[in-house]
């Protein structure tokens, strides 16, 4: 809906690379162009803002960010978000922020929503209950427009029109939303984040210990990206071949980085119970030991 409201065929939007593959799929299907700015693994997947600036042209309609990130498991600092806002302000662009993992950050991290940091740059925030409440099948989400100076009035009109032609969640789920948001106890959130944070720590340490693999420390969401030193695994031409053989031999599934337009990485989801994760990572270690040179 948001892409349809902002873009006409031939227009472009700034998207993260690596990023959730559905963004490109939607744009390609509608004739929207994707200008991909790099995320920097050495800086916990912060945006390369210099690169972002080079991608803006007369057809650019918005800056899109995903924070916390799928697939990267990153969480932008307040300062980095302010730096992104500065770029958007420089080029008079609104920001679209996918915040479906709102609040899903680990120990020592603080989540900040983009509209809380600016009164000048309009933003559109995408949210929902799929991740924080672990109910992806309910398909309950929302679009929040933050536009203090009425710069997105036409976008609002478009969003309202588009909202009448999509299939939303059933009325029972919609009716439950106020209680979900207002009556869920702090104990639930604490337990949820404690479990995920513990799993993230186990995952990071496990991959750190495997020679030839380099995980980027997860800060939020449910994922970690792991770099592969392909020279150490000459039996495989790419991380796709590595991932396929890992699945065939060890029944451990990871998503190749090429799914997110970043070769020589794979993504791990760490939502399984701790004992399952430990077993899976032991299998990955055994696999790497077998093929490493």
């Amino acid at each position: 809906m948001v892409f349809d409201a902002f873009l006409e065929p031939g227009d472009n939007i700034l998207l993260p690379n690596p990023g959730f593959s559905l963004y490109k799929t939607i744009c390609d299907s509608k004739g929207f162009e994707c200008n991909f700015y790099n995320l920097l693994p050495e800086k916990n997947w912060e945006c390369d803002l210099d690169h972002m600036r080079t991608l803006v042209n007369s057809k650019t309609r918005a800056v899109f960010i995903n924070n916390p990130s799928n697939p990267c498991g990153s969480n932008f600092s307040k300062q980095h978000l302010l730096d992104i806002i500065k770029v958007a302000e420089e080029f008079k662009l609104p920001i679209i922020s996918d915040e479906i993992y709102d609040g899903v950050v680990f120990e020592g991290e603080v989540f900040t929503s983009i509209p809380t940091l600016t009164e000048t740059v309009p933003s559109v925030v995408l949210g929902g209950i799929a991740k924080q409440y672990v109910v992806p099948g309910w398909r309950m989400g929302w679009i929040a427009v933050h536009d203090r100076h009425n710069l997105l009035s036409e976008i609002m009109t478009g969003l309202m029109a588009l909202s009448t032609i999509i299939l939303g969640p059933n009325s029972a789920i919609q009716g439950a939303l106020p209680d979900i948001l207002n009556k869920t106890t702090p104990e639930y959130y604490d337990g949820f984040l404690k479990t995920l944070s513990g799993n993230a720590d186990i995952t990071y340490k496990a991959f750190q210990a495997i020679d030839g693999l380099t995980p980027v420390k997860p800060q939020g969401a449910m994922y970690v990206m792991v770099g592969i030193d392909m020279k150490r695994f000459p039996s495989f031409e790419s991380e796709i071949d590595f991932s396929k053989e890992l699945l065939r031999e060890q029944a451990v599934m990871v998503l190749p980085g090429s799914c997110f337009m970043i070769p020589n990485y794979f993504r791990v989801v760490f939502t399984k119970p701790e004992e399952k994760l430990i077993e899976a990572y032991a299998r990955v270690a055994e696999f790497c030991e077998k093929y490493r040179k």
Side-chain angles (χ1 to χ4, degrees):
M1 277 179 58
V2 171
F3 287 170
D4 279 333
F6 272 89
L7 302 167
E8 297 286 348
D11 290 342
N12 69 72
I13 186 168
L14 305 187
L15 293 173
N17 178 32
F20 188 49
S21 55
L22 184 60
Y23 305 145
K24 183 179 186 301
T25 301
I26 293 171
C27 288
D28 287 350
S29 71
K30 296 177 178 293
F32 308 149
E33 295 183 6
C34 304
N35 288 1
F36 292 101
Y37 60 87
N38 293 330
L39 303 181
L40 303 172
E42 67 273 18
K43 294 186 177 181
N44 273 101
W45 304 109
E46 286 188 349
C47 308
D48 184 338
L49 298 178
D50 291 334
H51 184 223
M52 182 186 287
R53 285 184 171 91
T54 69
L55 300 174
V56 179
N57 58 42
S58 62
K59 288 287 189 177
T60 305
R61 298 293 176 252
V63 177
F64 188 101
I65 64 173
N66 174 209
N67 185 54
S69 169
N70 176 10
C72 297
S74 58
N75 174 56
F76 294 154
S77 68
K78 179 180 177 180
Q79 183 56 55
H80 188 57
L81 290 170
L82 288 169
D83 291 340
I84 294 169
I85 289 169
K86 185 177 179 180
V87 174
E89 193 159 30
E90 178 183 340
F91 291 99
K92 302 296 189 291
L93 293 171
I95 296 173
I96 303 171
S97 185
D98 182 348
E99 298 181 4
I100 190 66
Y101 294 94
D102 174 353
V104 184
V105 295
F106 309 139
E107 187 175 354
E109 292 292 322
V110 177
F111 169 75
T112 304
S113 183
I114 198 83
T116 66
L117 299 177
T118 177
E119 295 185 359
T120 56
V121 175
S123 60
V124 175
V125 174
L126 314 180
I129 62 173
K131 308 303 181 181
Q132 194 175 65
Y133 299 92
V134 204
V135 286
W138 287 18
R139 316 306 295 171
M140 170 67 81
W142 50 80
I143 300 169
V145 179
H146 300 264
D147 183 23
R148 292 176 174 86
H149 303 288
N150 201 34
L151 300 174
L152 300 183
S153 57
E154 292 185 8
I155 300 297
M156 281 289 292
T157 299
L159 288 172
M160 293 299 293
L162 289 165
S163 70
T164 66
I165 60 173
I166 67 165
L167 293 175
N170 63 58
S171 57
I173 291 174
Q174 293 183 52
L177 185 61
D179 281 356
I180 292 171
L181 296 179
N182 296 320
K183 296 184 179 180
T184 300
T185 65
E187 288 76 17
Y188 166 77
Y189 298 111
D190 292 345
F192 175 67
L193 291 177
K194 182 179 179 181
T195 298
L196 269 184
S197 186
N199 286 359
D201 189 55
I202 289 168
T203 302
Y204 179 64
K205 289 178 178 177
F207 284 106
Q208 259 195 324
I210 301 175
D211 190 19
L213 301 184
T214 305
V216 180
K217 188 173 184 179
Q219 300 168 307
M222 304 169 176
Y223 315 101
V224 63
M225 290 289 278
V226 180
I228 312 173
D229 183 352
M230 295 305 300
K231 293 178 182 178
R232 303 293 305 279
F233 302 98
S235 298
F236 307 109
E237 292 187 4
S238 69
E239 90 285 353
I240 296 175
D241 296 331
F242 180 100
S243 301
K244 284 181 177 179
E245 192 61 21
L246 177 62
L247 177 60
R248 191 188 71 81
E249 287 192 22
Q250 295 287 352
V252 174
M253 182 176 180
V254 297
L255 267 185
S258 294
C259 295
F260 311 105
M261 299 188 304
I262 184 164
N264 302 334
Y265 280 85
F266 60 81
R267 188 195 73 172
V268 174
V269 184
F270 47 76
T271 53
K272 291 293 184 180
E274 180 179 322
E275 63 273 15
K276 293 293 186 182
L277 296 179
I278 291 171
E279 179 184 352
Y281 302 153
R283 294 186 184 193
V284 176
E286 180 181 289
F287 179 83
C288 289
E289 179 67 24
K290 175 180 177 180
Y291 287 102
R292 184 172 49 241
K293 301 297 183 184

